[in-house]
Amino acid sequence: MKQEYLARAIVVTLLVLVLALPVIGKTLWRLQNPTVLEMRARLPESGGWSPSTITVRSGQLLTLRLTSEDVVHGFAIGKLDQPEIEILPGEFVETTLILSTPGKYVFYCTRWCGPNHWRMRGVINVIGDGPTPTPEPTPLYLGLEIDLDAPHQAEVIPDRVVEPQRGSKLQDRLPSYTLEQATYLSNSPASLWMRLRAEPSLRDLNDDDLWDLVAWVWEQHTSAQEIVAAQELYAENCAACHGETGKGDGVMMRDLPPPAPDNHTPAHNERTRPPDWSEPRQLLGASPALLAGKITRGGMGTGMPYWGPIFTPEQIDALVAYLYRFAWNALSKETPAHP
Amino acid sequence: MKHIKGMLLRITQPRWRAALIFILAAAIILGTPVPRSTTSTGQRYIRVEASRYAFTPEQINLSPGERVTIELVATDVKHGLSLDGYELDLEAEPGQPARATFVATQPGVYRFRCSVACGNLHPFMLGKIQVGPNLPLIRGSLLGAIAILIALYRPQHYDQSAPNGNH
Amino acid sequence: MATTELTRSSRIYSLLHSRWPQFVLRALTLAGFIFTILSGLWGSRVGSHNFAIIFVWIAWWSALKLFFIPLGGRTWCSICPIPLPGEWLQNKGILRSRGAQTQPGKRWPRFWRNTWLPVFGFVLVGWFGAVILTSPQATAFVLLGLFLLATVLSLIYERRAFCRYVCPIGGFTGLYARLAPPIVQVMQPSLCAIHTPKTCYEVCPWGQYPPALKTSANCGLCMECLRACPHENISLNLRPWGAELPSAAKLGLDDIFLALTMLTTAAIDTVIFLGHWGVFKSAAYTVGSPAWGIFAASFLLITLGIMPAFYTLVVWIAQRMRKERFSFKRSLAYYGPILLPLGLMSWMAFTLAFASTKSSYLLPVLSDPLGWGWNLLGLTNRVPTGQTSSFSLSLQTLLLAGGAMSAVETARKLSRSKRESMPLLAFIASYAWIMMWLLLG
């Protein structure tokens, strides 16, 4: 009889151990890490971020324990300079944040996880005392009352390759307003060209010279570092839909029909691919304010994400400057694979 | 000396002979190395698309010595491509393809697999690269044929002393 | 190679006679089994980081197919935790055997006293295999289902009815146990002749009668008979591998069908899990989609239709070459033994191919069984992508060739003439070649 009771005791002990292991493990961990918040990433179709809203006091340490339950995701907070964190399925990675300025922060996924990847966003509400956040300037397109959804085909386009270096030789001929920031932002290359064409002092220059000048002006409003940074931003965020060469043939857009360039507000079942930027009329008719506006606000039903909460104004300006290269480079006889 | 003679006599009894011939055949067929190809025979560029859970193309046939550039294009999530037997491991995300080059020196059949966790069927996301003839299958077929012939032609020798009568 | 009597060694005999070694092993497997279910239900949804997936489909499955069955026959059944609570409830005690206190239980219905239910169970698991093998929750539900079913059946029916007539694992384990060395035998049949109570039969949970035991197919190696025999007349012996071929102690049609199902599912599983055709994998995985419908229909058609038809044709031709004919039904069963070594070797080759590239997951998952980010053994680290080694390929080739060799030898022993064995040869050669093409090429 004693043997029977011993046997039963062994069985019960083993079962209790086995049941206790997960319970004790989880409880112990919670006790040791009371302030750690577990953040689970799932495909947007399966729920996205969980939790999707966090509220924290300003200056308070926020430790996030990130994990993914299906594919590779990434974590980053919009408009902050912190590096992104890759989240591998089944793996855990911790990051600690201190947000001292109150306000609303948007965190987002940084690894393409399907066509709804850009919707995978969440909000961190930082409440309490702290420096008042500097308000962001109103996007220029609002101030200029530009209709972002109106077609913007260029009225004129160059008929040969533009060469900004040649344009730089003629820079002394340019009227002073040409190099002002406001002029750059509110004019498309085509509209600036038409203004210069109408200048009496430039009547002796031919059309091609004017295009070289416009291209040179465009170059002055950006820098080599900006272009490199924008190239990376574009590859990570835009290329999947817009294509590595800007043709609107990204892998995510394969199932959609080619674009109708005049319809910027399609119905849900009329979604098309993005426009082909290697077609010069597309971009050369758009002003930087318009492009910045589109990136900020997103498309109305086109599927273009709204990047306003994610990119800083500087990042958007860099991207805009980078985008024009798709058009400029399309005119050259040997179009490079990457502008 | 007597021990060895006795052992040899036992080994060449029919019931052990079959096993011996089989093992010998296996050693020769499976163990013979095939020379690596040292001369370069050409260049190829192959674009491999990866989606959950397949590669396109799924099978790639190469000639030994070919210099191959593979471009991995992911179409839905981040994927990887790791080729068995070669130091090739690429990772690509939608919008950011990756490229690598290798020389197909060793003939044979190799699987390439996804090396970035991309979902539940990720461990089974496979493709196949065949360099030259289908060597493993040829070896297997040869050995299989010999095995069948051995079984077919060895003398039927029933050992009367063993209780169950076989082997 | 003659039969070796293992229990001649008194150390081995006392190990088997005492209930404790087996009990300790079974208690441990029960604890592991419960932990597996918990891990599957509660742990990470990522299969590669969950104890349930790695330890069931890689560790335990490999151990079963590569060691337990080929070397030990039904040795897993002797330490299996699934029927444990049922047995304990039946015997009203853990260290008790079947006896006076055991509730009688109903006899298992005659219609199902065969391997048909295990066949259906195995086909069902194969149907949903792509989901079960990759989802920890699905694995947990399957195990829990078997566990509950075994317990409930133990309360209604006598003995280990679940194990013998329902369990899909038991089905093929018993089938291939005919090839494995262990067999329980009586030492002196004359003693049994004069022993009227037949205690060995009373205590046997499998309903076997040791004095008449000719095959290991339905003996779970539980050793209750060895413990109960008042004359200590029962021994555990090791006979040469494949000793039951070709007679294989009378295979029934249900056994033949199971053997054919095993052959088909080995090939289909190789296509789905180890093949390079992504369309089949997605079809097998997306349960409920039209693609899955096509997969499910094809799976059933091949398993229940094409393969049995092929075998039937082969048997029909072989039978015609034979001078004296049996009834057709008998000939289907008569030639069946060729399917056993062919099937076992194919499954071993598949298991080897399947598990060898994933073995590097074992230690990390022990370090973090639930996938919660623990690091119990300091071994939780990112697992490198596995590769097929040429050693593994060679081993698979040897297994498949060896299986074909053994099957052909069996075919020859069953045939009166070489002509008669030719169709059987064609069957064996074509199946073995298809498995080679799928696994190696």
Side-chain angles (χ1 to χ4, degrees):
Chain A
M1 238 13 225
K2 266 200 204 138
Q3 296 217 346
E4 175 68 24
Y5 287 131
L6 178 59
R8 291 187 195 190
I10 291 179
V11 170
V12 169
T13 313
L14 281 173
L15 287 180
V16 163
L17 267 172
V18 151
L19 285 162
L21 187 63
V23 175
I24 291 180
K26 211 165 201 159
T27 323
L28 260 180
W29 185 85
R30 283 231 179 91
L31 287 173
Q32 285 174 346
N33 303 279
T35 54
V36 174
L37 181 65
E38 202 165 78
M39 170 73 75
R40 300 179 164 277
R42 279 194 213 121
L43 287 172
E45 299 86 358
S46 315
W49 296 107
S50 172
S52 56
T53 315
I54 304 173
T55 308
V56 73
R57 296 203 66 82
S58 64
Q60 183 188 6
L61 273 166
L62 173 64
T63 306
L64 292 174
R65 194 170 154 80
L66 305 157
T67 186
S68 160
E69 294 191 345
D70 39 39
V71 300
V72 176
H73 292 284
F75 177 88
I77 302 183
K79 297 193 198 273
L80 288 186
D81 222 350
Q82 289 164 348
E84 60 176 19
I85 300 166
E86 189 174 61
I87 312 170
L88 300 171
E91 309 275 330
F92 290 79
V93 59
E94 284 189 9
T95 182
T96 308
L97 313 160
I98 308 179
L99 300 163
S100 16
T101 312
K104 186 169 120 169
Y105 297 78
V106 174
F107 62 92
Y108 62 106
C109 179
T110 57
R111 289 278 178 276
W112 276 90
C113 47
N116 290 309
H117 158 69
W118 70 268
R119 291 180 206 271
M120 195 169 159
R121 297 181 182 181
V123 170
I124 302 179
N125 284 311
V126 180
I127 55 177
D129 314 311
T132 33
T134 33
E136 269 187 11
T138 324
L140 195 56
Y141 78 92
L142 288 173
L144 295 175
E145 291 181 12
I146 300 177
D147 180 2
L148 292 180
D149 305 312
H152 50 83
Q153 301 277 296
E155 301 86 341
V156 282
I157 56 169
D159 42 34
R160 66 139 176 80
V161 182
V162 289
E163 286 167 53
Q165 303 97 300
R166 246 205 284 137
S168 79
K169 297 197 187 110
L170 298 163
Q171 60 179 279
D172 305 320
R173 306 284 307 272
L174 284 171
S176 54
Y177 67 78
T178 328
L179 286 166
E180 279 167 30
Q181 181 82 334
T183 315
Y184 164 71
L185 291 174
S186 54
N187 278 288
S188 70
S191 68
L192 182 61
W193 186 89
M194 288 194 298
R195 271 179 82 169
L196 292 179
R197 182 78 286 176
E199 282 288 333
S201 58
L202 301 173
R203 276 216 195 106
D204 59 308
L205 296 173
N206 61 30
D207 291 353
D208 296 333
D209 293 332
L210 286 181
W211 275 116
D212 291 338
L213 270 169
V214 170
W216 178 83
V217 167
W218 245 248
E219 259 193 17
Q220 297 321 298
H221 285 95
T222 181
S223 70
Q225 292 125 303
E226 249 196 15
I227 295 295
V228 167
Q231 194 166 358
E232 209 179 290
L233 278 174
Y234 182 84
E236 287 171 359
N237 297 291
C238 322
C241 295
H242 285 283
E244 294 128 58
T245 49
K247 291 200 177 138
D249 58 354
V251 288
M252 289 294 165
M253 300 283 109
R254 278 182 178 182
D255 299 328
L256 296 179
D262 298 331
N263 183 7
H264 282 221
T265 50
H268 186 72
N269 53 0
E270 287 172 13
R271 277 218 193 142
T272 65
R273 290 191 199 159
D276 181 355
W277 291 333
S278 62
E279 185 24 59
R281 282 196 192 268
Q282 282 295 322
L283 285 178
L284 294 184
S287 65
L290 181 130
L291 291 179
K294 282 218 166 157
I295 297 176
T296 306
R297 186 209 67 174
M300 303 299 266
T302 59
M304 166 74 186
Y306 57 100
W307 295 102
I310 308 293
F311 292 146
T312 60
E314 292 76 28
Q315 285 177 315
I316 295 182
D317 290 339
L319 265 173
V320 166
Y322 177 75
L323 289 179
Y324 284 106
R325 296 197 161 206
F326 289 118
W328 297 131
N329 288 340
L331 293 160
S332 77
K333 272 173 248 170
E334 318 137 5
T335 316
H338 301 281
Chain B
M1 203 54 217
K2 260 198 187 152
H3 284 304
I4 298 175
K5 211 175 168 187
M7 198 176 73
L8 275 173
L9 212 68
R10 274 216 340 263
I11 284 178
T12 50
Q13 287 292 321
R15 73 170 104 123
W16 286 110
R17 196 182 287 158
L20 206 65
I21 298 177
F22 179 67
I23 291 172
L24 211 65
I28 296 173
I29 293 174
L30 299 176
T32 317
V34 179
R36 293 167 76 94
S37 163
T38 43
T39 51
S40 167
T41 54
Q43 300 230 19
R44 268 181 79 167
Y45 164 78
I46 302 173
R47 185 186 143 97
V48 177
E49 291 191 358
S51 65
R52 298 166 90 193
Y53 298 96
F55 290 104
T56 317
E58 299 170 321
Q59 178 166 346
I60 300 172
N61 293 328
L62 304 172
S63 319
E66 262 189 301
R67 194 182 164 78
V68 186
T69 302
I70 290 196
E71 180 174 19
L72 180 66
V73 176
T75 59
D76 48 11
V77 299
K78 189 171 178 188
H79 286 286
L81 192 152
S82 156
L83 180 58
D84 283 2
Y86 288 88
E87 297 277 312
L88 190 77
D89 202 328
L90 291 165
E91 288 185 4
E93 227 187 298
Q96 295 172 275
R99 272 195 205 102
T101 308
F102 70 101
V103 184
T105 48
Q106 193 71 15
V109 173
Y110 304 94
R111 292 280 190 271
F112 57 93
R113 319 157 183 279
C114 182
S115 53
V116 172
C118 55
N120 272 1
L121 284 190
H122 158 70
F124 309 115
M125 189 168 157
L126 304 165
K128 170 176 140 180
I129 284 188
Q130 184 172 322
V131 181
N134 195 333
L135 217 55
L137 185 58
I138 293 173
R139 291 197 218 239
S141 310
L142 259 171
L143 188 61
I146 289 180
I148 289 178
L149 289 172
I150 291 175
L152 210 52
Y153 287 103
R154 84 184 187 102
Q156 288 283 27
H157 222 99
Y158 288 92
D159 189 338
Q160 303 302 324
S161 58
N164 286 322
N166 311 329
H167 279 259
Chain C
M1 228 176 100
T3 309
T4 316
E5 193 189 317
L6 260 187
T7 37
R8 183 168 288 182
S9 144
S10 56
R11 198 170 285 170
I12 296 183
Y13 187 83
S14 41
L15 266 175
L16 295 173
H17 194 269
S18 160
R19 288 185 187 284
W20 280 94
Q22 190 183 37
F23 161 69
V24 167
L25 281 175
R26 287 189 100 180
L28 288 172
T29 56
L30 179 66
F33 186 76
I34 301 289
F35 185 72
T36 304
I37 294 179
L38 284 177
S39 192
L41 292 175
W42 213 1
S44 168
R45 301 237 185 111
V46 180
S48 55
H49 288 75
N50 195 310
F51 183 86
I53 296 283
I54 303 294
F55 263 78
V56 172
W57 304 116
I58 298 178
W60 169 78
W61 186 261
S62 305
L64 183 70
K65 286 286 188 185
L66 300 176
F67 300 107
F68 280 113
I69 295 181
L71 300 177
R74 276 201 188 253
T75 36
W76 169 258
C77 299
S78 69
I79 56 170
C80 181
I82 296 181
L84 266 187
E87 276 190 86
W88 293 341
L89 288 170
Q90 272 182 350
N91 298 336
K92 298 188 175 56
I94 293 179
L95 295 176
R96 274 182 159 163
S97 70
R98 298 176 52 78
Q101 83 290 349
T102 309
Q103 64 182 64
K106 291 163 64 170
R107 255 181 88 73
W108 186 255
R110 174 172 295 183
F111 189 72
W112 294 114
R113 293 182 86 83
N114 45 46
T115 352
W116 287 112
L117 281 175
V119 168
F120 295 147
F122 197 72
V123 168
L124 207 63
V125 170
W127 230 14
F128 296 97
V131 176
I132 297 174
L133 259 70
T134 54
S135 160
Q137 286 183 324
T139 297
F141 281 128
V142 168
L143 295 181
L144 195 58
L146 290 174
F147 195 53
L148 293 173
L149 186 61
T151 311
V152 164
L153 288 180
S154 293
L155 295 173
I156 306 173
Y157 294 99
E158 62 169 3
R159 309 184 198 249
R160 275 170 79 159
F162 169 82
C163 300
R164 176 123 186 238
Y165 299 113
V166 183
C167 182
I169 309 158
F172 63 78
T173 306
L175 187 71
Y176 297 131
R178 299 167 197 273
L179 303 174
I183 186 161
V184 164
Q185 286 173 320
V186 298
M187 293 195 279
Q188 286 174 284
S190 48
L191 277 177
C192 304
I194 54 173
H195 183 239
T196 1
K198 308 294 187 231
T199 338
C200 54
Y201 171 72
E202 292 300 319
V203 303
C204 177
W206 296 82
Q208 299 294 288
Y209 182 50
L213 205 60
K214 292 284 185 296
T215 170
S216 286
N218 295 307
C219 164
L221 299 174
C222 67
M223 298 300 138
E224 287 299 328
C225 51
L226 188 142
R227 292 172 194 132
C229 177
H231 298 285
E232 294 189 354
N233 197 21
I234 297 197
S235 66
L236 178 62
N237 299 348
L238 291 179
R239 48 198 183 160
W241 197 88
E244 275 184 52
L245 295 172
S247 62
K250 289 190 209 158
L251 290 172
L253 273 187
D254 53 331
D255 299 310
I256 303 293
F257 203 86
L258 178 62
L260 289 169
T261 306
M262 294 302 289
L263 288 175
T264 326
T265 45
I268 293 182
D269 281 354
T270 308
V271 167
I272 296 176
F273 295 109
L274 302 176
H276 53 276
W277 304 281
V279 63
F280 297 140
K281 293 171 211 267
S282 299
Y285 185 66
T286 50
V287 174
S289 69
W292 183 83
I294 298 177
F295 158 77
S298 321
F299 182 91
L300 285 182
L301 184 67
I302 301 173
T303 313
L304 305 180
I306 296 181
M307 182 60 131
F310 183 30
Y311 176 72
T312 310
L313 177 68
V314 160
V315 163
W316 185 79
I317 299 175
Q319 210 232 143
R320 282 189 67 111
M321 311 272 201
R322 205 183 168 90
K323 282 218 182 92
E324 44 153 291
R325 317 266 182 87
F326 326 107
S327 72
F328 190 60
K329 195 170 157 188
R330 198 178 148 212
S331 57
L332 281 175
Y334 177 73
Y335 293 109
I338 66 171
L339 306 173
L340 298 184
L342 197 61
L344 180 60
M345 291 301 153
S346 303
W347 269 99
M348 285 175 75
F350 166 77
T351 305
L352 196 62
F354 184 89
S356 59
T357 52
K358 297 174 190 58
S359 54
S360 44
Y361 284 110
L362 288 170
L363 288 176
V365 95
L366 276 176
S367 195
D368 182 17
L370 293 143
W372 286 348
W374 296 356
N375 201 345
L376 299 171
L377 308 172
L379 293 166
T380 310
N381 44 23
R382 205 171 150 191
V383 175
T385 318
Q387 289 200 8
T388 315
S389 65
S390 55
F391 175 69
S392 164
L393 283 177
S394 300
L395 216 55
Q396 291 167 43
T397 315
L398 278 171
L399 284 166
L400 289 170
M405 187 159 92
S406 178
V408 169
E409 180 149 346
T410 309
R412 249 197 90 193
K413 290 201 179 119
L414 288 168
S415 314
R416 295 273 174 85
S417 62
K418 248 191 203 98
R419 240 171 39 129
E420 189 186 340
S421 65
M422 280 304 141
L424 304 170
L425 218 88
F427 181 89
I428 296 166
S430 49
Y431 180 79
W433 191 84
I434 289 176
M435 281 307 285
M436 278 195 187
W437 171 62
L438 290 174
L439 278 171
L440 313 171

